[in-house]
Each structure stands twice: as structure tokens, then as C-alpha cells.
Amino acid sequence: MSSTTAPTTTVQVHRVHIRATPEAIWEAITSPEWTKRYGYHSPAEYDLRPGGAYRSLPGEEMVANGMPADAAVIDGEVLEVDPPRRLVQTWRMLFTPELVAEGFTRLTYEIEPETGGVTMLTVTHDVTNAPITAASVSAPPSDAGGGWSVILSDLKTLLESGQPLYR
């Protein structure tokens, strides 16, 4: 008797409402000057065209703990670009051989204006067949950081107050 294991489909959806314009949120997601100010404080580099490269470099704290400053900690490829409304990309963490082996996941940012100067940011992360990545990006706050909920809370606070939530 043989058995087969069906692939595991896991899609995480994270949503936050931010008192900021869609353009400000787009800039905060795609600009290294902004991405180094929240979350893991890692400058992100995008070639914002389909097929363009994406990489996130280590933040100052990661470099202080021994990571090479010019080595990517996350990489991927841009699949769709519709500024300031939608960005779709592949996404892979490079911290361990196990994470690298899981391969690329699919990350989608959707930015939708609402009334009263509020914009809804939805981050959909398809982590199908990537259980280590899924656990990392859904992690609660800790000394090692946290997942998307922590990153998005930090982004919201930074855009609304000018100060990051963490550090």
C-alpha cells in the first residue's frame, strides 16, 4: 500500500489601517530609506518592474551581531507592480539552510484608500509548503523580533507618529 501526502496550502493574511496616503505607504514599503526605520530595520532594495530583483539587507543590529553588511537576508523577484496600489513578489528568507531549502514564497501588498485619510494595507503571504517560514512570519513579538503583525504595527506607528514602535 502506498500513501501520498497532499501539499499543505497555507496563506496568511495580515491587515492594518493606517492614517496615511497610499503613496506614503508605498514609499515606506519600497524605499530603503523607509524600510530601515521599522520592522527589522533592514534596507530593502527593489527593481520595481516585473522580473526585477528584490533583496533586503541586514539592519545595523544584525551587522553588529556578525552578519556581512552587503549580504542579503531576504531575496526574491518582483512579479507585479501597480504603484501605489499593488506589489506582488516572491520572497525567501536566507538566515538558515533550512529556510533557503523551503524555496520562494509569494508575498502580495494591497493598498486601498478609505475615507477620512485612512488607507488599508493588506499583506497576503502564501507560505504553502514552507512551514519554517510560516512560523517565522506569524511569530509574536520577542527579543528576536516578530512576524508580520509586529512589522505592520511598527510601520503603522512610524507613518502616523514619525517614531517607530520598537527601538
Short mmCIF file of all heavy atoms in Angstrom, two decimals, residues 21-82:
data_model
loop_
_atom_site.label_atom_id
_atom_site.label_comp_id
_atom_site.label_asym_id
_atom_site.label_seq_id
_atom_site.Cartn_x
_atom_site.Cartn_y
_atom_site.Cartn_z
N THR A 21 -1.47 58.28 3.31
CA THR A 21 -1.89 58.13 1.92
C THR A 21 -1.35 56.82 1.34
O THR A 21 -0.34 56.29 1.83
CB THR A 21 -1.36 59.28 1.05
OG1 THR A 21 0.08 59.21 1.02
CG2 THR A 21 -1.81 60.65 1.58
N PRO A 22 -1.99 56.30 0.31
CA PRO A 22 -1.44 55.13 -0.36
C PRO A 22 0.00 55.36 -0.85
O PRO A 22 0.85 54.47 -0.75
CB PRO A 22 -2.39 54.89 -1.54
CG PRO A 22 -3.69 55.46 -1.06
CD PRO A 22 -3.30 56.67 -0.24
N GLU A 23 0.28 56.57 -1.31
CA GLU A 23 1.63 56.89 -1.80
C GLU A 23 2.67 56.81 -0.68
O GLU A 23 3.78 56.31 -0.89
CB GLU A 23 1.64 58.28 -2.44
CG GLU A 23 0.84 58.39 -3.72
CD GLU A 23 -0.68 58.53 -3.51
OE1 GLU A 23 -1.14 58.73 -2.36
OE2 GLU A 23 -1.41 58.43 -4.51
N ALA A 24 2.30 57.29 0.51
CA ALA A 24 3.23 57.23 1.65
C ALA A 24 3.49 55.78 2.06
O ALA A 24 4.63 55.41 2.37
CB ALA A 24 2.68 58.03 2.82
N ILE A 25 2.46 54.97 2.04
CA ILE A 25 2.63 53.56 2.40
C ILE A 25 3.47 52.84 1.35
O ILE A 25 4.38 52.08 1.68
CB ILE A 25 1.26 52.88 2.59
CG1 ILE A 25 0.55 53.51 3.80
CG2 ILE A 25 1.41 51.37 2.75
CD1 ILE A 25 -0.90 53.11 3.96
N TRP A 26 3.20 53.10 0.08
CA TRP A 26 4.01 52.51 -0.99
C TRP A 26 5.49 52.86 -0.81
O TRP A 26 6.36 51.99 -0.88
CB TRP A 26 3.51 53.00 -2.35
CG TRP A 26 4.30 52.48 -3.50
CD1 TRP A 26 5.39 53.07 -4.10
CD2 TRP A 26 4.09 51.25 -4.19
NE1 TRP A 26 5.85 52.28 -5.12
CE2 TRP A 26 5.07 51.16 -5.19
CE3 TRP A 26 3.16 50.22 -4.05
CZ2 TRP A 26 5.14 50.07 -6.06
CZ3 TRP A 26 3.23 49.15 -4.92
CH2 TRP A 26 4.22 49.08 -5.91
N GLU A 27 5.76 54.10 -0.56
CA GLU A 27 7.15 54.56 -0.36
C GLU A 27 7.77 53.86 0.85
O GLU A 27 8.94 53.45 0.81
CB GLU A 27 7.17 56.08 -0.18
CG GLU A 27 8.54 56.68 -0.02
CD GLU A 27 9.37 56.69 -1.30
OE1 GLU A 27 8.82 56.45 -2.39
OE2 GLU A 27 10.59 56.94 -1.20
N ALA A 28 7.00 53.71 1.93
CA ALA A 28 7.52 53.07 3.14
C ALA A 28 7.82 51.59 2.92
O ALA A 28 8.72 51.04 3.55
CB ALA A 28 6.53 53.24 4.29
N ILE A 29 7.12 50.95 2.00
CA ILE A 29 7.36 49.53 1.71
C ILE A 29 8.53 49.35 0.75
O ILE A 29 9.30 48.41 0.88
CB ILE A 29 6.08 48.89 1.11
CG1 ILE A 29 4.98 48.82 2.17
CG2 ILE A 29 6.37 47.51 0.52
CD1 ILE A 29 3.62 48.49 1.60
N THR A 30 8.68 50.26 -0.21
CA THR A 30 9.63 50.03 -1.31
C THR A 30 10.92 50.82 -1.24
O THR A 30 11.82 50.59 -2.04
CB THR A 30 8.95 50.32 -2.67
OG1 THR A 30 8.55 51.70 -2.70
CG2 THR A 30 7.75 49.41 -2.89
N SER A 31 11.04 51.73 -0.31
CA SER A 31 12.22 52.60 -0.24
C SER A 31 13.16 52.17 0.89
O SER A 31 12.73 52.06 2.04
CB SER A 31 11.77 54.05 0.00
OG SER A 31 12.84 54.83 0.48
N PRO A 32 14.45 51.96 0.60
CA PRO A 32 15.38 51.57 1.67
C PRO A 32 15.48 52.62 2.77
O PRO A 32 15.72 52.27 3.93
CB PRO A 32 16.71 51.37 0.95
CG PRO A 32 16.56 51.92 -0.41
CD PRO A 32 15.10 52.06 -0.69
N GLU A 33 15.27 53.88 2.44
CA GLU A 33 15.32 54.93 3.46
C GLU A 33 14.21 54.74 4.49
O GLU A 33 14.36 55.11 5.65
CB GLU A 33 15.22 56.33 2.83
CG GLU A 33 16.43 56.73 2.02
CD GLU A 33 16.51 56.05 0.65
OE1 GLU A 33 15.45 55.67 0.09
OE2 GLU A 33 17.63 55.88 0.14
N TRP A 34 13.09 54.18 4.06
CA TRP A 34 11.98 53.90 4.97
C TRP A 34 12.11 52.53 5.62
O TRP A 34 11.88 52.39 6.82
CB TRP A 34 10.63 54.00 4.24
CG TRP A 34 10.12 55.38 4.20
CD1 TRP A 34 10.27 56.29 3.18
CD2 TRP A 34 9.40 56.06 5.22
NE1 TRP A 34 9.67 57.47 3.51
CE2 TRP A 34 9.12 57.36 4.76
CE3 TRP A 34 8.94 55.68 6.48
CZ2 TRP A 34 8.41 58.28 5.52
CZ3 TRP A 34 8.23 56.60 7.23
CH2 TRP A 34 7.98 57.88 6.76
N THR A 35 12.41 51.49 4.86
CA THR A 35 12.41 50.13 5.41
C THR A 35 13.46 49.95 6.50
O THR A 35 13.31 49.09 7.36
CB THR A 35 12.60 49.06 4.32
OG1 THR A 35 13.82 49.31 3.62
CG2 THR A 35 11.43 49.08 3.34
N LYS A 36 14.49 50.78 6.50
CA LYS A 36 15.49 50.68 7.58
C LYS A 36 15.02 51.35 8.87
O LYS A 36 15.70 51.28 9.88
CB LYS A 36 16.83 51.25 7.13
CG LYS A 36 16.87 52.74 6.95
CD LYS A 36 18.24 53.19 6.48
CE LYS A 36 18.29 54.69 6.30
NZ LYS A 36 19.58 55.11 5.77
N ARG A 37 13.81 51.94 8.85
CA ARG A 37 13.30 52.64 10.02
C ARG A 37 12.25 51.86 10.82
O ARG A 37 11.83 52.30 11.88
CB ARG A 37 12.69 53.98 9.59
CG ARG A 37 13.74 54.91 8.99
CD ARG A 37 13.15 56.21 8.48
NE ARG A 37 12.49 56.94 9.56
CZ ARG A 37 11.61 57.92 9.35
NH1 ARG A 37 11.31 58.28 8.12
NH2 ARG A 37 11.06 58.55 10.36
N TYR A 38 11.81 50.71 10.34
CA TYR A 38 10.80 49.93 11.05
C TYR A 38 11.07 48.44 10.86
O TYR A 38 11.91 48.04 10.07
CB TYR A 38 9.38 50.31 10.59
CG TYR A 38 9.05 49.93 9.17
CD1 TYR A 38 8.47 48.70 8.87
CD2 TYR A 38 9.33 50.79 8.12
CE1 TYR A 38 8.17 48.36 7.57
CE2 TYR A 38 9.03 50.46 6.82
CZ TYR A 38 8.45 49.24 6.55
OH TYR A 38 8.16 48.88 5.25
N GLY A 39 10.30 47.62 11.59
CA GLY A 39 10.45 46.17 11.48
C GLY A 39 11.83 45.74 11.95
O GLY A 39 12.24 46.03 13.06
N TYR A 40 12.55 45.07 11.07
CA TYR A 40 13.90 44.61 11.39
C TYR A 40 14.96 45.65 11.03
O TYR A 40 16.14 45.37 11.09
CB TYR A 40 14.19 43.28 10.70
CG TYR A 40 13.43 42.15 11.35
CD1 TYR A 40 12.16 41.80 10.91
CD2 TYR A 40 13.97 41.47 12.43
CE1 TYR A 40 11.45 40.79 11.53
CE2 TYR A 40 13.28 40.46 13.05
CZ TYR A 40 12.02 40.12 12.59
OH TYR A 40 11.32 39.12 13.22
N HIS A 41 14.51 46.83 10.62
CA HIS A 41 15.40 47.94 10.26
C HIS A 41 16.36 47.52 9.15
O HIS A 41 17.53 47.89 9.16
CB HIS A 41 16.14 48.46 11.50
CG HIS A 41 15.19 48.92 12.55
ND1 HIS A 41 14.71 50.21 12.60
CD2 HIS A 41 14.58 48.26 13.57
CE1 HIS A 41 13.87 50.32 13.61
NE2 HIS A 41 13.76 49.15 14.21
N SER A 42 15.83 46.76 8.21
CA SER A 42 16.61 46.22 7.10
C SER A 42 16.29 46.97 5.82
O SER A 42 15.14 46.95 5.36
CB SER A 42 16.28 44.74 6.90
OG SER A 42 16.57 44.01 8.07
N PRO A 43 17.28 47.62 5.23
CA PRO A 43 17.03 48.32 3.97
C PRO A 43 16.61 47.34 2.87
O PRO A 43 17.27 46.34 2.65
CB PRO A 43 18.37 48.97 3.63
CG PRO A 43 19.21 48.86 4.86
CD PRO A 43 18.66 47.75 5.67
N ALA A 44 15.50 47.63 2.21
CA ALA A 44 15.02 46.80 1.11
C ALA A 44 15.37 47.47 -0.21
O ALA A 44 15.24 48.68 -0.35
CB ALA A 44 13.51 46.61 1.21
N GLU A 45 15.82 46.67 -1.14
CA GLU A 45 16.16 47.16 -2.47
C GLU A 45 15.25 46.48 -3.49
O GLU A 45 15.20 45.25 -3.55
CB GLU A 45 17.62 46.88 -2.80
CG GLU A 45 18.58 47.57 -1.85
CD GLU A 45 20.05 47.21 -2.14
OE1 GLU A 45 20.30 46.23 -2.88
OE2 GLU A 45 20.91 47.91 -1.61
N TYR A 46 14.53 47.29 -4.26
CA TYR A 46 13.63 46.78 -5.29
C TYR A 46 14.03 47.31 -6.65
O TYR A 46 14.34 48.49 -6.80
CB TYR A 46 12.20 47.28 -5.04
CG TYR A 46 11.42 46.55 -4.01
CD1 TYR A 46 11.34 47.02 -2.70
CD2 TYR A 46 10.71 45.40 -4.34
CE1 TYR A 46 10.58 46.35 -1.75
CE2 TYR A 46 9.96 44.73 -3.38
CZ TYR A 46 9.89 45.21 -2.10
OH TYR A 46 9.14 44.56 -1.15
N ASP A 47 13.97 46.45 -7.65
CA ASP A 47 13.95 46.86 -9.04
C ASP A 47 12.48 46.73 -9.43
O ASP A 47 12.00 45.62 -9.73
CB ASP A 47 14.85 45.95 -9.87
CG ASP A 47 14.85 46.30 -11.35
OD1 ASP A 47 14.16 47.26 -11.74
OD2 ASP A 47 15.52 45.58 -12.11
N LEU A 48 11.75 47.83 -9.34
CA LEU A 48 10.29 47.81 -9.41
C LEU A 48 9.78 47.66 -10.84
O LEU A 48 9.24 48.59 -11.44
CB LEU A 48 9.72 49.06 -8.75
CG LEU A 48 9.80 49.05 -7.23
CD1 LEU A 48 9.40 50.41 -6.65
CD2 LEU A 48 8.92 47.94 -6.65
N ARG A 49 9.96 46.45 -11.35
CA ARG A 49 9.42 46.05 -12.65
C ARG A 49 9.26 44.54 -12.62
O ARG A 49 9.98 43.86 -11.89
CB ARG A 49 10.37 46.46 -13.78
CG ARG A 49 11.72 45.80 -13.68
CD ARG A 49 12.67 46.14 -14.82
NE ARG A 49 13.94 45.49 -14.58
CZ ARG A 49 14.22 44.21 -14.85
NH1 ARG A 49 13.30 43.44 -15.38
NH2 ARG A 49 15.40 43.70 -14.60
N PRO A 50 8.30 43.99 -13.36
CA PRO A 50 8.17 42.54 -13.40
C PRO A 50 9.50 41.90 -13.81
O PRO A 50 10.14 42.33 -14.77
CB PRO A 50 7.08 42.29 -14.44
CG PRO A 50 6.25 43.55 -14.38
CD PRO A 50 7.25 44.66 -14.15
N GLY A 51 9.93 40.93 -13.04
CA GLY A 51 11.22 40.28 -13.27
C GLY A 51 12.36 40.95 -12.53
O GLY A 51 13.49 40.45 -12.52
N GLY A 52 12.10 42.09 -11.91
CA GLY A 52 13.13 42.82 -11.17
C GLY A 52 13.48 42.13 -9.87
O GLY A 52 12.69 41.39 -9.29
N ALA A 53 14.68 42.38 -9.41
CA ALA A 53 15.19 41.75 -8.19
C ALA A 53 14.69 42.49 -6.94
O ALA A 53 14.45 43.70 -6.97
CB ALA A 53 16.70 41.72 -8.19
N TYR A 54 14.56 41.73 -5.87
CA TYR A 54 14.28 42.26 -4.54
C TYR A 54 15.29 41.65 -3.59
O TYR A 54 15.62 40.47 -3.70
CB TYR A 54 12.86 41.88 -4.08
CG TYR A 54 12.69 42.00 -2.59
CD1 TYR A 54 12.53 43.24 -1.98
CD2 TYR A 54 12.74 40.88 -1.77
CE1 TYR A 54 12.40 43.35 -0.60
CE2 TYR A 54 12.61 40.98 -0.39
CZ TYR A 54 12.44 42.22 0.18
OH TYR A 54 12.33 42.33 1.54
N ARG A 55 15.79 42.47 -2.70
CA ARG A 55 16.59 41.93 -1.60
C ARG A 55 16.51 42.87 -0.42
O ARG A 55 16.34 44.08 -0.56
CB ARG A 55 18.04 41.67 -2.01
CG ARG A 55 18.88 42.89 -2.23
CD ARG A 55 20.28 42.50 -2.69
NE ARG A 55 21.16 43.66 -2.58
CZ ARG A 55 22.43 43.60 -2.29
NH1 ARG A 55 23.01 42.44 -2.10
NH2 ARG A 55 23.14 44.70 -2.20
N SER A 56 16.61 42.27 0.75
CA SER A 56 16.63 43.01 2.00
C SER A 56 17.98 42.76 2.64
O SER A 56 18.42 41.60 2.76
CB SER A 56 15.49 42.52 2.91
OG SER A 56 15.49 43.24 4.11
N LEU A 57 18.64 43.82 3.01
CA LEU A 57 19.96 43.73 3.62
C LEU A 57 19.85 43.73 5.14
O LEU A 57 18.85 44.18 5.68
CB LEU A 57 20.82 44.91 3.15
CG LEU A 57 21.04 44.98 1.65
CD1 LEU A 57 21.72 46.29 1.26
CD2 LEU A 57 21.85 43.80 1.16
N PRO A 58 20.87 43.24 5.83
CA PRO A 58 20.78 43.23 7.30
C PRO A 58 20.77 44.64 7.88
O PRO A 58 21.45 45.53 7.37
CB PRO A 58 22.04 42.47 7.73
CG PRO A 58 22.94 42.48 6.56
CD PRO A 58 22.11 42.68 5.34
N GLY A 59 20.00 44.81 8.93
CA GLY A 59 19.98 46.07 9.65
C GLY A 59 21.23 46.22 10.50
O GLY A 59 22.04 45.28 10.64
N GLU A 60 21.40 47.38 11.10
CA GLU A 60 22.60 47.66 11.91
C GLU A 60 22.80 46.65 13.02
O GLU A 60 23.92 46.22 13.30
CB GLU A 60 22.51 49.08 12.49
CG GLU A 60 22.67 50.17 11.47
CD GLU A 60 22.54 51.56 12.07
OE1 GLU A 60 22.59 51.70 13.31
OE2 GLU A 60 22.37 52.51 11.28
N GLU A 61 21.71 46.24 13.69
CA GLU A 61 21.82 45.27 14.78
C GLU A 61 22.32 43.91 14.26
O GLU A 61 23.13 43.25 14.90
CB GLU A 61 20.48 45.11 15.48
CG GLU A 61 20.56 44.27 16.73
CD GLU A 61 19.25 44.25 17.50
OE1 GLU A 61 18.53 45.26 17.51
OE2 GLU A 61 18.96 43.20 18.09
N MET A 62 21.82 43.51 13.09
CA MET A 62 22.27 42.24 12.51
C MET A 62 23.75 42.30 12.15
O MET A 62 24.49 41.35 12.38
CB MET A 62 21.45 41.91 11.26
CG MET A 62 20.02 41.56 11.51
SD MET A 62 19.20 41.21 9.93
CE MET A 62 17.51 41.52 10.35
N VAL A 63 24.17 43.43 11.60
CA VAL A 63 25.59 43.61 11.25
C VAL A 63 26.44 43.59 12.52
O VAL A 63 27.50 42.96 12.57
CB VAL A 63 25.80 44.91 10.44
CG1 VAL A 63 27.28 45.20 10.23
CG2 VAL A 63 25.09 44.81 9.09
N ALA A 64 25.96 44.25 13.58
CA ALA A 64 26.70 44.27 14.84
C ALA A 64 26.84 42.86 15.43
O ALA A 64 27.78 42.58 16.15
CB ALA A 64 26.00 45.18 15.86
N ASN A 65 25.90 41.97 15.07
CA ASN A 65 25.96 40.58 15.53
C ASN A 65 26.67 39.66 14.55
O ASN A 65 26.56 38.44 14.66
CB ASN A 65 24.55 40.06 15.84
CG ASN A 65 24.00 40.67 17.10
OD1 ASN A 65 24.71 40.80 18.10
ND2 ASN A 65 22.74 41.05 17.07
N GLY A 66 27.38 40.24 13.57
CA GLY A 66 28.25 39.43 12.72
C GLY A 66 27.80 39.18 11.30
O GLY A 66 28.53 38.54 10.53
N MET A 67 26.64 39.66 10.89
CA MET A 67 26.22 39.44 9.51
C MET A 67 26.96 40.41 8.59
O MET A 67 27.11 41.58 8.94
CB MET A 67 24.72 39.66 9.35
CG MET A 67 23.87 38.61 9.96
SD MET A 67 22.17 38.86 9.46
CE MET A 67 21.73 37.19 9.12
N PRO A 68 27.39 39.96 7.44
CA PRO A 68 28.01 40.87 6.47
C PRO A 68 27.01 41.93 6.02
O PRO A 68 25.86 41.60 5.69
CB PRO A 68 28.43 39.97 5.31
CG PRO A 68 28.37 38.58 5.85
CD PRO A 68 27.38 38.58 6.98
N ALA A 69 27.41 43.17 5.98
CA ALA A 69 26.51 44.28 5.66
C ALA A 69 25.95 44.21 4.25
O ALA A 69 24.87 44.73 3.98
CB ALA A 69 27.23 45.61 5.88
N ASP A 70 26.66 43.58 3.33
CA ASP A 70 26.22 43.56 1.94
C ASP A 70 25.57 42.23 1.52
O ASP A 70 25.26 42.04 0.36
CB ASP A 70 27.38 43.88 1.01
CG ASP A 70 28.52 42.87 1.14
OD1 ASP A 70 28.53 42.07 2.09
OD2 ASP A 70 29.41 42.90 0.27
N ALA A 71 25.35 41.32 2.47
CA ALA A 71 24.74 40.03 2.16
C ALA A 71 23.23 40.10 2.40
O ALA A 71 22.79 40.51 3.47
CB ALA A 71 25.35 38.94 3.03
N ALA A 72 22.45 39.71 1.43
CA ALA A 72 21.00 39.73 1.56
C ALA A 72 20.55 38.77 2.65
O ALA A 72 21.11 37.69 2.82
CB ALA A 72 20.34 39.37 0.24
N VAL A 73 19.52 39.18 3.40
CA VAL A 73 18.89 38.30 4.39
C VAL A 73 17.56 37.76 3.86
O VAL A 73 17.07 36.75 4.34
CB VAL A 73 18.71 39.00 5.76
CG1 VAL A 73 20.07 39.28 6.39
CG2 VAL A 73 17.89 40.26 5.65
N ILE A 74 17.00 38.45 2.89
CA ILE A 74 15.79 38.02 2.19
C ILE A 74 15.98 38.38 0.73
O ILE A 74 16.53 39.45 0.41
CB ILE A 74 14.52 38.70 2.75
CG1 ILE A 74 14.35 38.39 4.24
CG2 ILE A 74 13.27 38.28 1.97
CD1 ILE A 74 13.26 39.20 4.93
N ASP A 75 15.53 37.51 -0.17
CA ASP A 75 15.60 37.85 -1.59
C ASP A 75 14.31 37.43 -2.28
O ASP A 75 13.45 36.79 -1.69
CB ASP A 75 16.84 37.26 -2.26
CG ASP A 75 16.80 35.74 -2.40
OD1 ASP A 75 15.89 35.08 -1.85
OD2 ASP A 75 17.70 35.19 -3.06
N GLY A 76 14.19 37.84 -3.54
CA GLY A 76 13.00 37.49 -4.30
C GLY A 76 13.00 38.19 -5.64
O GLY A 76 13.99 38.80 -6.06
N GLU A 77 11.87 38.08 -6.29
CA GLU A 77 11.68 38.68 -7.61
C GLU A 77 10.34 39.39 -7.64
O GLU A 77 9.33 38.88 -7.14
CB GLU A 77 11.70 37.58 -8.68
CG GLU A 77 11.47 38.08 -10.07
CD GLU A 77 11.42 36.94 -11.09
OE1 GLU A 77 12.04 35.89 -10.85
OE2 GLU A 77 10.75 37.12 -12.12
N VAL A 78 10.31 40.56 -8.25
CA VAL A 78 9.08 41.31 -8.42
C VAL A 78 8.26 40.64 -9.54
O VAL A 78 8.79 40.38 -10.62
CB VAL A 78 9.39 42.78 -8.77
CG1 VAL A 78 8.11 43.55 -9.08
CG2 VAL A 78 10.16 43.45 -7.64
N LEU A 79 6.98 40.38 -9.24
CA LEU A 79 6.10 39.75 -10.22
C LEU A 79 5.12 40.74 -10.83
O LEU A 79 4.86 40.69 -12.03
CB LEU A 79 5.33 38.59 -9.57
CG LEU A 79 6.19 37.48 -8.95
CD1 LEU A 79 5.31 36.48 -8.22
CD2 LEU A 79 7.05 36.81 -10.00
N GLU A 80 4.54 41.60 -10.00
CA GLU A 80 3.57 42.60 -10.46
C GLU A 80 3.84 43.92 -9.74
O GLU A 80 4.16 43.91 -8.55
CB GLU A 80 2.13 42.20 -10.11
CG GLU A 80 1.61 40.97 -10.78
CD GLU A 80 0.19 40.64 -10.28
OE1 GLU A 80 -0.61 41.59 -10.05
OE2 GLU A 80 -0.09 39.45 -10.12
N VAL A 81 3.68 45.02 -10.46
CA VAL A 81 3.87 46.35 -9.87
C VAL A 81 2.75 47.25 -10.37
O VAL A 81 2.58 47.42 -11.58
CB VAL A 81 5.24 46.96 -10.28
CG1 VAL A 81 5.43 48.31 -9.62
CG2 VAL A 81 6.38 46.04 -9.96
N ASP A 82 2.01 47.83 -9.44
CA ASP A 82 0.96 48.79 -9.76
C ASP A 82 0.96 49.87 -8.67
O ASP A 82 0.12 49.86 -7.77
CB ASP A 82 -0.40 48.09 -9.84
CG ASP A 82 -1.52 49.03 -10.24
OD1 ASP A 82 -1.25 50.16 -10.71
OD2 ASP A 82 -2.70 48.64 -10.06
#
